[in-house]
């Protein structure tokens, strides 16, 4: 009986555009409509291919898209639906639009920053590398740090920006609209490192190209967590910067001045469109399944051999999303 290994992707993941197209599959909101039967059928189709009972076809690729966007690569269990990457833009839509509302007071700023960090914690936990996990007390502690940091930065900037005397009113207004981005960027990085801190302390599993575990690596964990944190900033940048600047311009037009009730729907639309476009572009910057030279990891990985006795030139690890 044949034992086929399905390719990681139908696209060339060594190129940025290939990773973007792969990310478009993983983040496609249409996969949220997949039922339990659809998921089971997709898993069955992939198993049939691996056993050599069917050829690599559009059906197999469609099944892989459902599996990749629904099941966690480590546990093979469905990720809780609101926190799948295919639901990222939708879950964050209201939260992001809330943070970008003009003239938020202190209470509003605290509420939306707290909500945003709560959602971030859920996404980071649901999509993290599962070979090393935080305990509930560690997760609660990390959550409190992230919420405190984001609220502190947002409130602090809201107090500081109006007091800057050398800037004209227009520049102050722009900075005020971009304050949520500064808070989200800073706290987002902190959130990723805190919620995945146990990976940095204990290391994450490293695999050969056959999927066999070679042990845990702290350096691989640093690559995984660092790249994820950077991709979150890159993802947040257009979402938190473009909509508020466009909304500022639209609020000066007659039609929005005459219909101020349209401000919230317009804001939601701008955030939603930007999110759907920006997410795969950000996720695609780094591969989800990272390939790296063993020489960049700890010395215990330097002299490993494959099943044919040849030195391993590349090893893999799950970066997490």
């Amino acid at each position: 009986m044949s034992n086929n290994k399905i390719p990681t992707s139908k696209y060339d993941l060594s190129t940025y555009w290939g990773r973007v197209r792969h990310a478009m599959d993983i983040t496609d909101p249409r996969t949220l409509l997949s039922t339990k039967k659809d998921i089971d059928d997709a898993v069955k189709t992939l198993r049939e291919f691996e056993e050599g009972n069917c050829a690599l076809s559009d059906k197999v690729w469609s099944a892989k898209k459902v599996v990749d966007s629904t099941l966690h690569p480590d546990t093979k269990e469905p990720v809780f639906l609101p926190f799948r990457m295919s639901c990222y833009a939708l879950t964050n839509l209201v939260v992001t639009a809330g943070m970008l509302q003009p003239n938020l007071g202190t209470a509003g700023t605290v509420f939306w920053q707290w909500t945003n960090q709560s959602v971030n914690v859920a996404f980071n936990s649901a999509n993290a590398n599962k070979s090393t996990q935080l305990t509930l007390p560690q997760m609660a502690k990390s959550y409190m740090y992230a919420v405190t940091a984001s609220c502190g930065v947002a409130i602090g900037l809201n107090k500081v920006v109006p007091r800057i005397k050398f800037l004209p009113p227009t520049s102050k207004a722009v900075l005020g609209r971009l304050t949520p981005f500064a808070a989200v960027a800073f706290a987002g990085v902190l959130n990723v490192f805190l919620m995945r801190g146990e990976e940095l302390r204990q290391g994450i599993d490293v695999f050969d190209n056959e999927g066999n575990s070679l042990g845990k690596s702290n350096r691989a964990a640093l690559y995984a967590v660092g790249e994820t944190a950077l991709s979150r900033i890159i993802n947040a940048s257009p979402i938190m910067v473009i909509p508020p600047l466009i909304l500022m311009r639209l609020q000066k037009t007659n039609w929005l001045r005459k219909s101020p009730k349209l401000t919230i729907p317009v804001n939601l639309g701008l955030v939603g469109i930007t999110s759907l476009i920006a997410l795969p572009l950000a996720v695609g910057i780094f591969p989800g399944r990272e390939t790296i030279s063993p020489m960049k990891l700890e010395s215990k990985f330097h002299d490993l051999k494959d099943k044919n006795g040849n030195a391993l030139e590349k090893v893999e690890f799950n970066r997490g999303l």
Side-chain angles (χ1 to χ4, degrees):
M1 180 178 292
S2 176
N3 185 20
N4 297 326
K5 181 182 178 182
I6 189 166
T8 304
S9 175
K10 66 188 295 186
Y11 307 109
D12 182 2
L13 298 184
S14 66
T15 66
Y16 172 65
W17 183 240
R19 292 194 297 273
V20 169
R21 296 180 71 185
H22 179 70
M24 289 172 68
D25 278 352
I26 296 175
T27 60
D28 187 347
R30 292 174 297 179
T31 60
L32 298 172
L33 300 175
S34 301
T35 64
K36 185 178 184 303
K37 183 178 185 303
D38 293 332
I39 298 170
D40 291 341
D41 288 345
V43 172
K44 181 180 178 182
T45 297
L46 296 186
R47 187 182 302 118
E48 288 176 348
F49 170 78
E50 290 171 349
E51 293 174 350
N53 296 325
C54 67
L56 189 61
S57 62
D58 288 342
K59 180 182 178 181
V60 174
W61 286 124
S62 295
K64 191 173 191 313
K65 177 178 178 177
V66 171
V67 168
D68 286 349
S69 62
T70 305
L71 304 184
H72 193 282
D74 291 334
T75 65
K76 308 304 180 186
E77 295 292 328
V79 175
F80 185 47
L81 191 146
F83 306 124
R84 295 175 191 171
M85 292 308 294
S86 53
C87 200
Y88 188 89
L90 298 177
T91 300
N92 279 276
L93 178 59
V94 175
V95 178
T96 305
M99 288 189 294
L100 296 178
Q101 286 183 80
N103 305 316
L104 272 180
T106 299
T109 298
V110 170
F111 172 77
W112 286 113
Q113 289 293 335
W114 165 73
T115 303
N116 180 60
Q117 290 309 314
S118 298
V119 171
N120 280 348
V121 165
F123 270 105
N124 289 338
S125 176
N127 295 282
N129 185 297
K130 296 297 185 181
S131 62
T132 305
Q133 299 189 54
L134 287 177
T135 64
L136 192 58
Q138 289 172 324
M139 189 177 297
K141 184 178 179 180
S142 299
Y143 169 65
M144 292 305 299
Y145 282 148
V147 170
T148 302
S150 63
C151 292
V153 171
I155 294 172
L157 289 176
N158 281 338
K159 300 290 185 183
V160 169
V161 169
R163 298 179 182 178
I164 300 177
K165 296 181 180 180
F166 61 86
L167 289 177
T170 303
S171 298
K172 287 184 181 181
V174 171
L175 283 178
R177 291 293 181 91
L178 297 182
T179 292
F181 166 65
V184 166
F186 176 77
V189 171
L190 182 64
N191 195 313
V192 172
F193 274 89
L194 288 172
M195 292 304 299
R196 299 180 62 177
E198 204 62 20
E199 296 176 35
L200 297 172
R201 287 185 285 271
Q202 296 187 27
I204 60 175
D205 286 338
V206 174
F207 304 89
D208 62 18
N209 59 5
E210 298 293 328
N212 302 308
S213 178
L214 303 172
K216 290 186 181 292
S217 167
N218 297 87
R219 291 186 184 178
L222 184 59
Y223 279 109
V225 177
E227 289 178 358
T228 300
L230 182 56
S231 70
R232 292 298 171 86
I233 295 178
I234 296 170
N235 179 52
S237 299
I239 299 171
M240 300 295 292
V241 171
I242 295 175
L245 295 183
I246 293 178
L247 187 61
M248 277 188 70
R249 180 61 62 88
L250 292 177
Q251 285 178 315
K252 296 178 181 179
T253 62
N254 289 330
W255 73 273
L256 201 53
R257 284 179 175 175
K258 292 178 180 179
S259 305
K261 292 182 180 179
L262 292 177
T263 300
I264 293 179
V266 169
N267 197 20
L268 285 170
L270 289 171
V271 171
I273 293 171
T274 308
S275 297
L276 289 172
I277 296 173
L279 183 59
L281 295 175
V283 173
I285 291 176
F286 302 109
R289 186 79 174 183
E290 191 81 67
T291 301
I292 192 172
S293 167
M295 303 306 292
K296 293 184 178 181
L297 303 180
E298 292 86 344
S299 58
K300 65 181 181 180
F301 296 101
H302 293 180
D303 299 317
L304 296 175
K305 309 288 185 182
D306 62 19
K307 62 182 180 182
N308 297 319
N310 300 316
L312 280 178
E313 296 182 357
K314 296 290 183 180
V315 294
E316 300 177 355
F317 59 87
N318 173 32
R319 176 174 64 82
L321 293 174

